[in-house]
């Protein structure tokens, strides 16, 4: 188990133009260097592999993990995204999803990434997971004051689940913040019709009633 030996073997395969064998030897060499704590040598080898075979997804993922370990978050995300694109191209949607979720740990406020994750959930038939992600996206937009975007994603949720209470409350807040009080009431009344004893719905209804001086309704 000597990284230098496998590196030399890889170079010899390259001279024979046996690219696949060379890549496999370099991956073995990089793995040994990584285990032995020679991270820079391992990273250099992964980059060497990607110069030979830019679509070598295993090298991209391993390089991303090393970059993340070294605190090079930007580089790690770049590698993870490139690997995810390859997985999507090759139809390995679940593997791409795993990588997007890893990236999200480094970029928790990236809305576009959350949207991609939701779309991948839909692609592999995980509708409930997609709904959860769309609700997070809608709330992010609502907190940023981007009401049209928030409304768009709450309505996407309603498209999958007409009785989704979180989406109806969210739509009510969007309407309230854009001074469409009538529409805000409509969404909350709709939510109440589905879950008449839901504390969250009743609390939001009471707040809106107070705001519009409907004291009886608030009570």
């Amino acid at each position: 188990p000597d990284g230098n030996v496998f590196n030399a073997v890889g170079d010899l395969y390259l001279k024979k133009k046996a690219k696949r064998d060379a890549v496999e030897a370099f991956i073995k060499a990089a793995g040994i260097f990584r285990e032995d704590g020679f991270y820079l040598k391992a990273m250099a080898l992964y980059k060497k592999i990607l110069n030979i075979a830019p679509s070598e997804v295993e090298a991209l993922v391993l390089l991303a993990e090393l970059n993340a370990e070294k605190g090079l978050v930007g580089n790690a995300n770049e590698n993870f995204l490139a690997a995810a694109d390859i997985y999507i191209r090759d139809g390995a949607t679940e593997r791409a999803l795993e990588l997007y979720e890893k990236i999200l740990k480094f970029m928790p406020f990236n809305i576009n990434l959350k949207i991609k994750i939701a779309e991948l959930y839909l692609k592999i038939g995980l509708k409930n997971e997609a709904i959860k992600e769309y609700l997070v996206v809608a709330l992010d937009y609502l907190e940023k004051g981007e009401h049209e975007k928030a409304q768009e994603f709450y309505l996407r949720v309603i498209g999958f689940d007409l009785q989704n209470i979180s989406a109806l409350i969210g739509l009510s807040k969007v309407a309230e913040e854009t001074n469409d009080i009538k529409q805000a009431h409509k969404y909350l009344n709709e939510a109440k019709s589905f879950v008449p004893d839901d504390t969250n719905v009743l609390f939001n209804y009471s707040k809106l009633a107070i705001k519009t001086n409907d004291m009886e309704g608030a009570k």
Side-chain angles (χ1 to χ4, degrees):
D2 187 318
N4 292 311
V5 172
F6 281 106
N7 188 22
V9 169
D11 287 335
L12 289 171
Y13 275 128
L14 270 186
K15 287 184 179 180
K16 285 181 63 178
K17 302 198 183 306
K19 187 189 291 186
R20 185 69 251 161
D21 292 323
V23 166
E24 288 175 6
F26 290 140
I27 284 177
K28 284 180 183 177
I32 293 167
F33 284 136
R34 184 176 179 177
E35 285 177 16
D36 292 343
F38 298 113
Y39 299 119
L40 291 178
K41 283 188 175 182
M43 291 169 80
L45 270 171
Y46 290 133
K47 289 174 183 175
K48 185 176 182 177
I49 292 165
L50 292 169
N51 283 332
I52 301 163
S55 295
E56 184 60 40
V57 72
E58 185 182 354
L60 275 167
V61 172
L62 291 168
L63 179 58
E65 289 173 353
L66 264 181
N67 276 321
E69 285 174 24
K70 300 296 288 180
L72 303 170
V73 174
N75 291 343
N77 287 339
E78 186 180 326
N79 301 143
F80 277 135
L81 284 169
D85 286 344
I86 293 168
Y87 280 136
I88 290 169
R89 185 194 69 194
D90 294 343
T93 308
E94 291 183 27
R95 296 298 304 275
L97 188 56
E98 288 172 16
L99 294 185
Y100 279 141
E101 287 171 346
K102 283 185 179 182
I103 300 167
L104 201 57
K105 291 177 183 176
F106 301 116
M107 304 170 66
F109 305 110
N110 189 311
I111 294 179
N112 289 330
L113 189 57
K114 292 174 186 177
I115 294 169
K116 283 185 178 181
I117 289 172
E119 288 168 351
L120 286 180
Y121 277 136
L122 285 176
K123 198 168 185 178
I124 59 176
L126 297 176
K127 187 178 79 170
N128 288 336
E129 297 302 318
I131 285 172
K132 288 176 188 174
E133 209 62 51
Y134 279 141
L135 286 171
V136 171
V137 169
L139 182 58
D140 284 350
Y141 277 127
L142 182 61
E143 288 176 347
K144 291 170 68 176
E146 296 186 36
H147 297 110
E148 285 186 17
K149 283 287 187 182
Q151 184 182 49
E152 176 191 337
F153 284 95
Y154 281 130
L155 288 173
R156 283 195 197 187
V157 172
I158 294 298
F160 295 116
D161 178 9
L162 286 171
Q163 297 185 19
N164 190 285
I165 302 306
S166 296
L168 288 168
I169 290 173
L171 285 166
S172 173
K173 287 179 179 176
V174 170
E176 182 185 346
E177 289 183 15
T178 54
N179 296 316
D180 190 348
I181 303 302
K182 184 179 178 182
Q183 187 64 51
H185 270 297
K186 182 181 175 184
Y187 283 127
L188 286 179
N189 279 321
E190 197 173 338
K192 273 208 310 172
S193 72
F194 296 134
V195 284
D197 298 320
D198 185 274
T199 311
N200 197 22
V201 173
L202 293 171
F203 181 63
N204 278 279
Y205 188 91
S206 67
K207 285 200 299 181
L208 187 62
I210 290 169
K211 189 173 181 178
T212 56
N213 294 317
D214 175 13
M215 294 309 163
E216 286 305 309
K219 289 176 186 177

